[in-house]
Amino acid sequence: PRTLFKDPYMALSGNTYERAAILEHLQKSKTDPMTQEPLHPRDLKRNRLARESVEAWLRENPGYVRE
C-alpha cells in the first residue's frame, strides 16, 4: 500500500525515503536502494519540500487519515 511521508529524507541521489525505512535499510546495506551507490546516514538530508507538500495536501484533503 502507498502511504504519505511522515519524515522524508533525501539521499545524495535525489531520491526521497521515509527516514525510518532508509535508516533500517542502511543497517543491512550501505547503499542507496534505488541507485546502489554507496550511502552513509550522514549523507541524508531532511526533505522539507516533500514534507511541506504532504502537509499542504493533507490540509486540502481533511478526510484522509495518515497511517
Side-chain angles (χ1 to χ4, degrees):
R2 293 181 181 209
T3 60
L4 297 174
F5 284 118
K6 293 180 183 178
D7 195 11
Y9 271 67
M10 187 171 12
L12 296 173
S13 63
N15 292 305
T16 297
Y17 305 99
E18 184 63 41
R19 181 176 180 262
I22 190 64
L23 291 176
E24 181 179 331
H25 169 81
L26 291 175
Q27 289 178 355
K28 302 172 198 159
S29 172
K30 302 299 183 197
T31 61
D32 184 311
M34 297 293 285
T35 66
Q36 303 307 310
E37 294 292 320
L39 183 62
H40 190 276
R42 72 173 173 265
D43 297 327
L44 299 170
K45 304 295 180 210
R46 179 168 280 147
N47 189 332
R48 288 185 175 90
L49 179 59
R51 184 174 182 122
E52 290 169 5
S53 295
V54 168
E55 296 301 326
W57 190 88
L58 287 170
R59 284 192 300 276
E60 294 170 8
N61 297 274
Y64 184 85
V65 176
R66 183 171 18 189
E67 294 179 16

